[in-house]
Amino acid sequence: HPRRWKGGMANVSDVVGMAMASDGAGTEGKGGVEETSCEMGTGGSSETGSDEAVAVLVIGMAGSGKTTLLQRLAAQLHESNAPGYVINLDPAVKLLPYDAHVDVRDTVDYKAVMESYDLGPNGGILTSLNLFATKFDQVMDLVEKRKESVPYVLVDTPGQIEIFTWSASGSIITEALASTMPTVVVYVIDTPRCTNPKTFMSNMLQACSIMYKTKLPVVLAFNKVDVENHQFALDWMDDFETYHEALEEDADYASDLSRSLSLVLDEFYRNLRTVGISAVTGFGVDEFFRQVRGAAKEYNQIYKPELERRRKATATEDQKRKEKELQQLAADLTPSMGDLGIADAPLSKESQEMPEDAQEISDDNLESDEVEE
């Protein structure tokens, strides 16, 4: 990768003006978004079943295997002679096991941000991603140029899930992709850890919140099935009584809460796509892509019309707001009668009657006019 900018940052203007210079090429002192030279595909693939590119947002808890899974996906596409377009959004990762076409580390220096703003690790990642989001329009320009020649745009997110899913930068990036192409959220689950029923429930709640937050189709990818088969999780999702039996071993408040939540999430499970996969062995990768393609169809049939409806509603609200502001501005600029020295109140009846002396003068003038004629 090109060298990243290593200068200090005193304030936001320094960051945007120096670390993220729009005319930069990733060299020192300039950090504009640029594309790394990686092998590109030449069109759609039989692997995908369609020529339309799909954006895949890989999200998951820390340690669930997101980066390793993305490396496996990129390698599988490369072997099928249809390499995907890979974007890394984790500014704190030291070593990537795959080649990224766009890397946030080439634009923003994570450690320099921490030092300049006296931030901790999570604050540094969040601030770095927020700064990168201000230049994401450049990333979308690159994606627009490449989406006709790649089957997938694979996006790796930071390890700390809340930094992407519940931040302004995460919303900006997600909406930018979703408004351009079919976009699918892949929620990666650490299957061995989910053998604990309460850990399983926390993952399901996280997946549910992500789906309603992004309003995009979600695919649950049960990773590390080479260590633990994910069938137990599918059984828990299909039959809440089976899940309740697993909770009987721990009779505490958390278990009671999980038992109640399983009833609430029963309908949520019915609308989810699931796949068991191993990022290490490659097991389930083909099924993974089939599920993603199925979710992309749902995007076109359900989510895209809703997205367009929300966009039109937002545009209508913006238009009404602008018209209201213009009317208010016109009212503010229109001077009142009082500002011109004229009383706003209507004339009284007494003020409208002519005084007697004025009436006599008026009559004299009228008689004088008649004599002259």
Side-chain angles (χ1 to χ4, degrees), residues 53-66:
V54 177
V56 180
L57 288 168
V58 181
I59 301 175
M61 298 282 195
S64 60
K66 298 185 297 296

Side-chain angles (χ1 to χ4, degrees), residues 33-35 40-41 53 85 137-150 153 180-181:
V33 176
E34 68 161 7
E35 185 179 57
M40 303 295 299
Y85 195 85
D137 59 318
Q138 298 181 23
V139 178
M140 292 309 302
D141 290 340
L142 297 173
V143 172
E144 286 280 359
K145 295 176 182 177
R146 301 296 188 180
K147 70 177 186 178
E148 299 298 331
S149 61
V150 297
V153 177
T180 305
M181 64 182 67

Side-chain angles (χ1 to χ4, degrees), residues 55 57 174-175 177-179 181-185 207 210-219 272 295 298-299 303-304 307 310:
L57 288 168
T174 301
E175 292 175 5
L177 289 168
S179 62
M181 64 182 67
T183 304
V184 176
V185 174
I210 290 174
M211 187 181 76
Y212 286 107
K213 175 71 167 55
T214 62
K215 296 180 176 64
L216 293 171
V218 174
V219 175
L272 280 180
E298 290 182 9
Y299 168 90
Y303 293 87
K304 186 177 180 179
L307 178 64
R310 295 203 310 269

Side-chain angles (χ1 to χ4, degrees), residues 8-83:
M9 288 177 284
N11 50 49
V12 174
S13 62
D14 292 336
V15 175
V16 177
M18 298 171 62
M20 303 182 65
S22 60
D23 58 345
T27 57
E28 291 190 26
K30 296 180 179 180
V33 176
E34 68 161 7
E35 185 179 57
T36 303
S37 297
C38 299
E39 184 176 347
M40 303 295 299
T42 58
S45 168
S46 58
E47 178 92 31
T48 67
S50 174
D51 291 335
E52 187 177 24
V54 177
V56 180
L57 288 168
V58 181
I59 301 175
M61 298 282 195
S64 60
K66 298 185 297 296
T67 300
T68 307
L69 175 60
L70 197 140
Q71 185 273 335
R72 171 61 63 179
L73 300 177
Q76 181 79 3
L77 291 173
H78 191 276
E79 291 177 1
S80 64
N81 296 321

